[in-house]
Amino acid sequence: MEITLPRSDDFHLHLRDGAAMADIVGHSARQFGRVIVMPNLKPPVRTVADALAYRERILAALPEGAGFNPLMALYLTETTTPDDIARAGDEAAIIGVKLYPAGATTNADAGVADLARVRSVLEAMQRHDLPLLIHGEVTDPDVDVFDREAVFVDRVLGPLRRDFPALRIVLEHVTTRHAVDYVRASKDHLAATITPQHLLYNRNALFAGGLRPHYYCLPVLKLESDRQALVEAATGDDPRFFLGTDSAPHAQGAKESACGCAGIFSAHAALELYAEAFERAGALDRLAEFASQRGADFYRLPRNTGSVRLVKTDWRVPDAYPFGEDRVVPLGAGETINWKLSVESL
Ligand code: NCD
Ligand code: ZN
């Protein structure tokens, strides 16, 4: 059995930088036509100049004619200016601006502690019609880590959308039924990405027979009922749920540590992992929409030309892949995946 998909896009991806980036970018270039590259480098990708220079480094790491288009997001800080936004709005390679609540996740310390300090920037984004990409978790230590997304939706996203009704927003990597219901109920200007791990696993995976750092990401895996809501959203009719892997590689030692980093590497098998999730839901016929159409439509990009083929065949995921001086352990390491992306595109 095989299925053919129009060439897909990954609307949420961490590529890192330097030798590590050069080792992993090929995985995404093989799988996807376009990606949105997250800006949480150290230091962050703050300005248009930072983003364009980073984009050049990404392109330079790929063979000529790879046909891969990295789209860039700026990192919103409390020093971002409306001018930065005006410049970004004029640049086709810049697709949006990423909001990390300060301290919410990996390299989010330069993020926004108080949204009141970026009001003029959000107004400029609304004016220039530049989407806001949100890591939707509150950082209040009094809020249970499993509730941080739901509390963000209620306390932050609701008021933000009331204040900036024309701002296009992507709630990244939704993980809860609460967030899915909120997106469904909010018809205008709001969409959400869904990762493969949140479709395939619930929080039991973190503790199966011991502590499993390679299943740890932020937002953290949630309940089985949340996972089911995500599967319903990804395979359902609402066009505002689309593919964003949040593939976020860390060196093996940084994960397998007394204080392991948040982030799951899935770029090696992104489409295959989604195919597994859709097949289990009996919804393989919806994968093309989710992976290749809805995101492009939301971002007002043309749909890709060309296609890729997924063949039903078992393969064993390697224990690790090269990652600069280190190795990165991929999602599903050592396990069998039963879809395989065919290397030659049609
Ligand atoms: C991401 C990373 O490592 O950059 N980690 C993660 O767990 N998803 C950051 C992020 O998107 O939260
Ligand atoms: Zn991310």
Side-chain angles (χ1 to χ4, degrees), residues 12 14 16 38 40 98 100 104-108 135 137 172-173 195 197-198 216-220 246-250 255 261-264:
H12 185 128
H14 299 270
R16 313 308 189 204
M38 290 297 133
N40 62 332
K98 179 73 188 275
Y100 292 103
T105 185
T106 305
N107 293 349
H135 183 109
E137 290 193 287
E172 299 291 338
H173 41 54
T195 78
Q197 64 266 27
H198 293 101
Y216 174 55
C217 64
L218 286 170
V220 72
D246 193 23
S247 176
H250 290 273
K255 295 283 297 172
C261 294
I264 291 177

Side-chain angles (χ1 to χ4, degrees), residues 187-254:
K187 286 296 171 220
D188 291 328
H189 307 308
L190 183 65
T193 54
I194 304 180
T195 78
Q197 64 266 27
H198 293 101
L199 291 175
L200 288 167
Y201 302 100
N202 63 39
R203 66 193 197 184
N204 286 349
L206 281 161
F207 309 108
L211 196 54
R212 302 278 187 169
H214 298 293
Y215 291 89
Y216 174 55
C217 64
L218 286 170
V220 72
L221 294 169
K222 299 294 192 313
L223 295 169
E224 175 59 13
S225 54
D226 294 307
R227 190 193 68 78
Q228 285 168 7
L230 297 170
V231 170
E232 284 159 26
T235 61
D237 289 331
D238 192 321
R240 291 163 314 129
F241 296 97
F242 54 81
L243 188 156
T245 60
D246 193 23
S247 176
H250 290 273
Q252 183 171 13

Side-chain angles (χ1 to χ4, degrees), residues 147-312:
D147 295 334
R148 286 183 186 174
E149 179 177 280
V151 173
F152 182 92
V153 166
D154 295 343
R155 278 195 204 159
V156 185
L157 186 57
L160 180 70
R161 292 187 59 252
R162 275 193 293 281
D163 289 352
F164 301 95
L167 181 62
R168 281 191 293 149
I169 294 176
V170 182
L171 187 58
E172 299 291 338
H173 41 54
V174 283
T175 62
T176 55
R177 183 175 288 279
H178 187 74
V180 165
D181 288 346
Y182 180 85
V183 173
R184 278 195 213 283
S186 319
K187 286 296 171 220
D188 291 328
H189 307 308
L190 183 65
T193 54
I194 304 180
T195 78
Q197 64 266 27
H198 293 101
L199 291 175
L200 288 167
Y201 302 100
N202 63 39
R203 66 193 197 184
N204 286 349
L206 281 161
F207 309 108
L211 196 54
R212 302 278 187 169
H214 298 293
Y215 291 89
Y216 174 55
C217 64
L218 286 170
V220 72
L221 294 169
K222 299 294 192 313
L223 295 169
E224 175 59 13
S225 54
D226 294 307
R227 190 193 68 78
Q228 285 168 7
L230 297 170
V231 170
E232 284 159 26
T235 61
D237 289 331
D238 192 321
R240 291 163 314 129
F241 296 97
F242 54 81
L243 188 156
T245 60
D246 193 23
S247 176
H250 290 273
Q252 183 171 13
K255 295 283 297 172
E256 298 170 10
S257 147
C259 184
C261 294
I264 291 177
F265 179 64
S266 62
H268 62 298
L271 284 172
E272 290 98 328
L273 291 162
Y274 282 111
E276 290 225 351
F278 275 65
E279 185 178 36
R280 279 183 212 167
L284 269 176
D285 58 324
R286 307 309 295 269
L287 183 59
E289 256 177 78
F290 175 79
S292 317
Q293 296 172 358
R294 295 169 171 184
D297 294 353
F298 182 84
Y299 279 107
R300 301 180 189 154
L301 298 166
R303 292 181 182 176
N304 287 321
T305 55
S307 37
V308 293
R309 195 160 40 190
L310 284 163
V311 182
K312 187 91 189 264

